[in-house]
Amino acid sequence: MAKSSADDEELRRACEAAIEGTKQKIVMSIRVAKSRGIWGKSGRLGRNMAKPRVLALSVKSKGQETEAFLPVLKYSSGGVLEPAKLYKLKHLSKVEVVTNDPSGCTFTLGFDNLRSQSVAPPQWTMRNIDDRNRLLLCILNICKDVLGCLPKVVGVDIVEMALWAKENTPSVTTQRNLQDGPVATTVPESGMKVTVEKELVSQVEEEDIEALLGTYVMGIGEAEAFSERLKRQLHALEAANVHAILESEPLVDEVLQGLEAATSCVDDMDDWLGMFNVKLRHMREDIESIESRNNKLEMQSVNNKSLIEELDKLLERLRVPSEYAACLTGGSFDEARMLQNVEACEWLTGALRGLQVPNLDPSYAKMRAVKDKRAELEKLKATFVRRASEFLRNYFASLVDFMIGDKSYFSQRGQLKRPDHADLRYKCRTYARLLQHLKSLDKSCLGPLRKAYCSSLNLLLRREAREFANELRASTKASRNPTVWLEASTGGSQSGNSADTSAVSDAYAKMLTIFIPLLVDESSFFAHFMCFEVPALAPPGGVANGSKSGSYDDDTNDDDLGIMDIDDNDSKAGKTSADLQSLNESLQDLLDGIQEDFYAVVDWAYKIDPLRCISMHGITERYLSGQKADAAGFVRLLLGALESKISMQFSRFVDEACHQIERNERNVRQMGVLSYIPRFATLATRMEQYIQGQSRDLVDQAYTKFVSVMFATLEKLAQTDPKYADIFLLENYAAFQNSLYDLANVVPPLAKFYHQASEAYEQACTRHISMIIYYQFERLFQFARKIEDLMFTISAEEIPFQLGLSKMDLRKMLKSSLSGVDKSITAMYKKLQKNLTSEVLLPSLWDKCKKEFLDKYDSFAQLVAKIYPTETIPSVSEMRDLLASM
């Protein structure tokens, strides 16, 4: 085995030199490798690499006390040991061998005075297990002898260390005298090796134990002699027991005589007890019979008492109070008597429910008395429901007849009257709880009642709407606007100075403002009053009508009837759906026919100004978007029908206007700008002023139809005279662009048509200008076209040798076409000016004509330079200067 660094005297002397001046004496020194344990995140690589260190054990005398230290020394850059750290062994709390190291040579030392316990302590790695054991045993020995306590040892067995120490200490033990006592050290033959051997007992204790054991003489030196001795003692004990038994025979006889006498007495006692047992059994049987009869009597008494109580309760349940019976069969339904009627209904409902199986024991339900009483209650229910239904039908009719007979409830000449149903609803709410109880008693009776209510109130609503609409039309003053906007024979001033017809759309908005909240409130009140099981409804008057918000009339809680559902268990999803369908059918009966008065207002507004359909459509759409409640289902249908009616009327106006445009086809030959072009701009301006809300789509569809018909008619008219078709088209498309320029910047659909007209204008300009250029310079450009056609089949060098394309032909053509070119250009300008009816377009058209001519001449000059390189023609710049000077 290699020599341990613990035996290195030079290392010891180097350590003593490193701590010189500290008055410490080196006990042991050994080389180790230091590394840092990783508890948390991985550190840097340099911090985790093993570093060479020297661990030393030193002591220092301080008076009567001795302190132990663990200096850590490191090598400087010059290879000299210098102190790195100093630990006090009195703070050593734990010695732990690292389990991650399979060699077992790595351990950690835990000190209880470290400032940061979260930092992993350094790990010390030895060369082998022997070096580790030497150091650890030396540390434990010093801690025990100097400090009087041992640290906690983890990861190593103390017994194994003690055995190792015993095996590795063949040398003589010497005593080193320290201040506080002897320290046992062993000096092996190989050198100064410091180990620790733990003494279990002292010499004095061992001598005391031997003396104590010597006081007991057991004579067990030989096993056979000891066995014989035990046999002899056993025989002696058995003989003594037999002798004792033989000496006690007289005593045994006396005991036997006593036992015989006691047996005789016990037999007599057994006979007596048998007799008493028989008598007691008979007595017990008699007592049990008496108790059984008594228990049956008591049970019968209790049962009879309970039966009487149950029968009393059943009789009380079956009894019909006289006051309720009188109220149900012949009582009055006046307002003063409604409280008694409601109480009687509540009692009747409870009595009927009490006689049903869930609330009544099934055995009682089969009793004849219960069946008879149930039949009697059913008769009472049928009588009361019939009387109440007849009263309510007559009551609804009388209320409405009274209101219809009083003209002050309706609009009159010179006075628009807002319908007021507050008093009607107040009187109806008196019987709201009665209707609730009628529903719980017989749900089928509500159908005729609902029809009667709807029939009566429908007469009132239609009368109010008719009178209001008539007076609204009579009181609205507005001049009629022309319905003919785009006809050719109409004067331009007629469509340009249209009268203000805003009063018409205001009248329509007023009609909706008054009656739509009224109809919504009536629908919601009807749903509550007539006990429909529908989802929660929108609050009355909550219509999306701009500034008009809140309830229709002064009673903001008209629809809150102040009652609760009597049968809460009936509100199921299936019943809700069925009730919703029934509600919509009843609302149809309630409000049917009132739409005719709205249609009359729409027709009246259309006759005054058809364009007012746009604003009326927006107003209707705004109201329609606010109707979300289920009770307002028919109101939504009414508004939808109004919207369709308005859209149909506006479509009628659009169709008539389109027919007016198409009539231009049958007129005489058209020249210049058609009349409907500027009139359409005026019409579009007016339509944009009338747009409200969601009527944008309506107007955009009208634009699409108008412009499609206008452009189609324009193209058809142009084909009647092909000679002047392009002039006719470009003038009309230009007029369309000029008249719609401002609107096209703000209205996207018109911008699309503006660009469409612009493209058609450019195409017409191109065709017309090309025709004028070819008319004046036909030979020049026909010559160029022939050259271009031949270039697809033969090479450029062969073209001058073709018939009609020689250089001589080129010179003749140039002489005839370009001699007096200024006159030809002047003629071209005059021809362009001759057929135009709008002088405004001439400058732009002439600029386009010059540009087109220069482009064509430039192409011709390039062909000549390529095919006839020796021939000279006027350059493009000369032509440009000539055109600019004219």
Side-chain angles (χ1 to χ4, degrees):
M1 183 173 64
K3 183 178 180 181
S4 173
S5 61
D7 303 329
D8 193 346
E9 291 297 333
E10 293 184 2
L11 179 63
R12 184 189 297 271
R13 287 192 295 272
C15 292
E16 290 176 349
I19 62 173
E20 185 178 1
T22 60
K23 298 181 181 181
Q24 298 178 16
K25 188 172 182 181
I26 298 295
V27 177
M28 182 181 183
S29 61
I30 193 167
R31 292 186 178 90
V32 298
K34 175 187 175 183
S35 60
R36 176 68 62 181
I38 303 174
W39 288 2
K41 297 181 179 179
S42 299
R44 292 175 297 178
L45 181 62
R47 295 178 59 88
N48 297 325
M49 295 178 62
K51 301 175 182 178
R53 293 289 187 270
V54 175
L55 284 180
L57 290 171
S58 63
V59 295
K60 176 181 178 182
S61 299
K62 190 175 182 181
Q64 298 296 326
E65 298 180 356
T66 300
E67 293 184 354
F69 300 95
L70 181 68
V72 180
L73 299 98
K74 65 179 181 179
Y75 289 96
S76 63
S77 58
V80 180
L81 286 177
E82 59 182 15
K85 198 156 188 173
L86 181 66
Y87 298 99
K88 292 183 179 181
L89 286 184
K90 68 179 181 179
H91 295 299
L92 181 63
S93 59
K94 182 171 71 171
V95 177
E96 180 177 1
V97 175
V98 178
T99 58
N100 295 336
D101 186 3
S103 66
C105 297
T106 303
F107 63 91
T108 61
L109 301 175
F111 295 88
D112 57 11
N113 64 335
L114 292 180
R115 282 178 290 180
S116 178
Q117 294 294 340
S118 61
V119 179
Q123 296 179 354
W124 311 100
T125 304
M126 316 299 292
R127 293 176 56 195
N128 48 50
I129 294 293
D130 293 337
D131 284 357
R132 184 204 71 181
N133 290 341
R134 287 179 185 177
L135 178 62
L136 295 184
L137 284 172
C138 189
I139 290 173
L140 295 175
N141 185 25
I142 291 176
C143 289
K144 175 186 175 186
D145 295 337
V146 176
L147 305 177
C149 61
L150 289 174
K152 182 180 179 181
V153 180
V154 180
V156 64
D157 193 352
I158 294 295
V159 177
E160 292 181 0
M161 291 185 64
L163 293 175
W164 180 88
K166 191 173 182 178
E167 294 174 357
N168 290 274
T169 54
S171 58
V172 181
T173 302
T174 62
Q175 297 289 331
R176 295 180 60 190
N177 190 15
L178 298 175
Q179 296 293 332
D180 57 348
V183 177
T185 62
T186 61
V187 183
E189 295 176 353
S190 59
M192 295 295 293
K193 180 174 68 174
V194 182
T195 61
V196 179
E197 184 176 358
K198 191 173 182 180
E199 296 179 357
L200 299 177
V201 293
S202 64
Q203 185 67 29
V204 177
E205 292 173 343
E206 184 177 355
E207 292 176 356
D208 292 341
I209 292 173
E210 291 179 356
L212 180 62
L213 293 175
T215 58
Y216 296 92
V217 180
M218 300 179 64
I220 57 174
E222 295 182 4
E224 294 180 359
F226 183 65
S227 175
E228 291 295 329
R229 178 181 171 185
L230 290 178
K231 288 181 180 180
R232 288 194 300 271
Q233 291 178 358
L234 178 61
H235 290 317
L237 287 174
E238 290 177 351
N241 289 336
V242 172
H243 179 73
I245 291 172
L246 292 175
E247 286 181 350
S248 61
E249 182 178 0
L251 298 175
V252 172
D253 292 339
E254 292 179 3
V255 172
L256 290 176
Q257 293 176 1
L259 289 174
E260 290 177 357
T263 302
S264 178
C265 293
V266 169
D267 291 338
D268 294 340
M269 183 65 70
D270 183 60
D271 294 337
W272 294 343
L273 290 176
M275 294 171 60
F276 285 120
N277 188 28
V278 171
K279 293 181 179 181
L280 288 175
R281 185 172 68 250
H282 291 303
M283 189 179 295
R284 185 163 52 252
E285 291 175 356
D286 294 340
I287 292 173
E288 289 178 355
S289 177
I290 294 171
E291 288 181 350
S292 176
R293 290 195 298 270
N294 187 33
N295 289 338
K296 290 180 180 178
L297 290 174
E298 288 183 0
M299 181 63 69
Q300 186 176 2
S301 175
V302 171
N303 289 338
N304 289 335
K305 184 178 180 180
S306 299
L307 179 59
I308 291 173
E309 291 177 356
E310 288 296 323
L311 290 175
D312 289 340
K313 292 179 182 178
L314 183 59
L315 289 173
E316 181 64 26
R317 184 181 294 183
L318 298 178
R319 188 180 68 86
V320 179
S322 58
E323 63 275 14
Y324 291 157
C327 185
L328 291 172
T329 55
S332 173
F333 290 100
D334 293 339
E335 185 175 350
R337 295 277 299 170
M338 281 311 300
L339 182 59
Q340 290 84 343
N341 287 325
V342 169
E343 291 177 354
C345 286
E346 290 176 350
W347 174 85
L348 181 59
T349 303
L352 288 171
R353 287 182 177 177
L355 295 181
Q356 294 174 356
V357 171
N359 302 315
L360 183 68
D361 191 276
S363 59
Y364 291 167
K366 299 178 181 179
M367 295 176 64
R368 181 178 178 182
V370 174
K371 293 180 180 179
D372 293 343
K373 186 56 65 174
R374 188 183 297 117
E376 181 183 351
L377 293 179
E378 290 291 339
K379 289 181 180 179
L380 279 177
K381 180 185 77 171
T383 302
F384 179 77
V385 168
R386 176 179 53 79
R387 292 176 57 250
S389 299
E390 184 178 357
F391 167 78
L392 288 175
R393 286 197 297 269
N394 296 332
Y395 183 74
F396 295 150
S398 63
L399 276 180
V400 173
D401 290 343
F402 173 77
M403 295 183 68
I404 291 178
D406 190 353
K407 293 185 178 181
S408 62
Y409 280 101
F410 307 102
S411 299
Q412 301 177 17
R413 182 174 298 277
Q415 179 185 7
L416 279 174
K417 177 71 174 181
R418 176 191 289 265
D420 185 3
H421 293 181
D423 186 58
L424 174 66
R425 294 181 189 177
Y426 174 78
K427 292 178 179 179
C428 288
R429 279 201 300 271
T430 305
Y431 299 95
R433 288 199 64 81
L434 179 62
L435 281 170
Q436 287 279 335
H437 287 291
L438 288 177
K439 175 187 175 182
S440 63
L441 291 173
D442 185 5
K443 196 171 184 179
S444 62
C445 74
L446 288 181
L449 284 176
R450 290 168 178 171
K451 286 187 177 296
Y453 181 86
C454 292
S455 177
S456 300
L457 196 62
N458 180 261
L459 295 175
L460 178 63
L461 290 173
R462 293 181 64 180
R463 173 73 180 277
E464 290 172 339
R466 184 169 61 254
E467 297 294 341
F468 189 89
N470 291 339
E471 181 56 30
L472 185 66
R473 294 196 299 270
S475 60
T476 302
K477 305 299 181 183
S479 301
R480 291 199 176 192
N481 263 349
T483 58
V484 180
W485 281 82
L486 304 177
E487 194 167 12
S489 60
T490 308
S493 61
Q494 186 175 0
S495 61
N497 300 320
S498 299
D500 182 16
T501 57
S502 59
V504 173
S505 55
D506 292 342
Y508 175 77
K510 190 171 186 179
M511 183 79 175
L512 294 186
T513 302
I514 295 298
F515 276 91
I516 294 302
L518 172 65
L519 299 181
V520 172
D521 287 349
E522 286 299 334
S523 301
S524 182
F525 177 81
F526 175 73
H528 283 83
F529 180 60
M530 284 298 171
C531 309
F532 284 96
E533 295 173 4
V534 293
L537 305 179
V543 183
N545 54 358
S547 62
K548 305 290 189 298
S549 61
S551 180
Y552 158 71
D553 51 32
D554 296 334
D555 189 354
T556 57
N557 293 320
D558 262 351
D559 296 336
D560 184 8
L561 304 180
I563 57 180
M564 297 175 61
D565 287 339
I566 294 176
D567 188 4
D568 292 331
N569 295 325
D570 289 341
S571 56
K572 304 297 182 182
K575 290 187 177 181
T576 299
S577 177
D579 262 19
L580 190 57
Q581 182 179 359
S582 177
L583 172 61
N584 289 329
E585 293 174 357
S586 298
L587 290 178
Q588 179 78 20
D589 297 335
L590 177 67
L591 304 177
D592 191 25
I594 197 172
Q595 64 270 20
E596 299 301 330
D597 298 297
F598 288 89
Y599 292 164
V601 175
V602 172
D603 294 338
W604 165 75
Y606 175 79
K607 291 178 181 178
I608 293 178
D609 187 358
L611 293 182
R612 282 296 164 183
C613 290
I614 300 173
S615 55
M616 289 191 297
H617 185 278
I619 295 170
T620 308
E621 181 64 31
R622 186 171 68 244
Y623 275 89
L624 186 59
S625 63
Q627 301 305 317
K628 301 299 181 184
D630 290 321
F634 185 79
V635 178
R636 289 203 307 275
L637 295 178
L638 171 63
L639 290 171
L642 275 175
E643 187 179 38
S644 300
K645 176 75 173 179
I646 294 170
S647 300
M648 181 182 68
Q649 292 285 46
F650 187 69
S651 298
R652 174 185 165 190
F653 163 75
V654 173
D655 292 340
E656 291 178 355
C658 290
H659 289 315
Q660 295 167 15
I661 296 173
E662 292 171 348
R663 289 195 193 102
N664 287 276
E665 296 181 32
R666 297 189 292 271
N667 293 341
V668 295
R669 175 177 173 271
Q670 300 287 342
M671 292 296 293
V673 179
L674 295 176
S675 59
Y676 62 72
I677 297 292
R679 288 175 190 167
F680 172 73
T682 306
L683 176 62
T685 304
R686 180 63 61 88
M687 291 170 67
E688 289 296 322
Q689 295 172 356
Y690 290 168
I691 291 178
Q692 293 186 18
Q694 301 296 324
S695 56
R696 174 81 262 172
D697 294 339
L698 186 71
V699 174
D700 290 346
Q701 293 173 6
Y703 285 156
T704 302
K705 192 165 186 179
F706 279 143
V707 176
S708 300
V709 174
M710 288 168 58
F711 286 177
T713 303
L714 190 62
E715 294 292 339
K716 289 180 181 179
L717 290 174
Q719 297 304 320
T720 59
D721 191 357
K723 181 178 180 181
Y724 300 101
D726 292 330
I727 299 176
F728 178 72
L729 289 176
L730 68 87
E731 286 183 334
N732 279 275
Y733 282 127
F736 182 86
Q737 295 179 74
N738 292 334
S739 61
L740 285 179
Y741 178 78
D742 295 331
L743 277 179
N745 288 327
V746 295
V747 182
L750 291 180
K752 180 184 71 173
F753 299 131
Y754 181 89
H755 292 303
Q756 183 179 344
S758 177
E759 293 175 2
Y761 169 77
E762 293 294 336
Q763 295 172 3
C765 286
T766 302
R767 291 195 301 268
H768 184 59
I769 290 171
S770 298
M771 182 271 294
I772 292 177
I773 293 174
Y774 277 108
Y775 181 79
Q776 294 296 331
F777 298 93
E778 181 178 5
R779 293 189 61 190
L780 178 70
F781 295 116
Q782 279 185 353
F783 193 87
R785 186 176 299 173
K786 289 180 181 179
I787 295 175
E788 291 174 349
D789 293 340
L790 286 176
M791 288 180 69
F792 289 106
T793 56
I794 61 177
S795 62
E797 293 79 7
E798 297 177 4
I799 291 177
F801 303 101
Q802 300 299 319
L803 182 64
L805 295 178
S806 64
K807 294 182 180 180
M808 183 61 66
D809 296 328
L810 173 65
R811 296 189 190 101
K812 291 180 180 179
M813 182 273 297
L814 290 175
K815 182 177 181 182
S816 63
S817 298
L818 296 182
S819 59
V821 66
D822 52 345
K823 294 181 181 180
S824 298
I825 293 175
T826 303
M828 188 168 57
Y829 177 80
K830 290 180 178 180
K831 186 172 182 60
L832 183 66
Q833 183 183 23
K834 176 182 178 182
N835 297 315
L836 280 179
T837 60
S838 176
E839 294 292 334
V840 178
L841 298 177
L842 183 59
S844 62
L845 285 176
W846 177 238
D847 290 338
K848 290 179 181 291
C849 185
K850 291 191 291 185
K851 183 177 182 303
E852 182 71 16
F853 175 75
L854 286 175
D855 291 341
K856 293 181 180 297
Y857 187 78
D858 185 24
S859 300
F860 172 75
Q862 293 177 8
L863 283 175
V864 171
K866 184 177 181 180
I867 306 301
Y868 310 98
T870 59
E871 297 296 323
T872 59
I873 61 173
S875 64
V876 176
S877 58
E878 292 177 357
M879 284 293 181
R880 184 179 294 108
D881 295 340
L882 178 62
L883 289 172
S885 64
M886 296 185 66

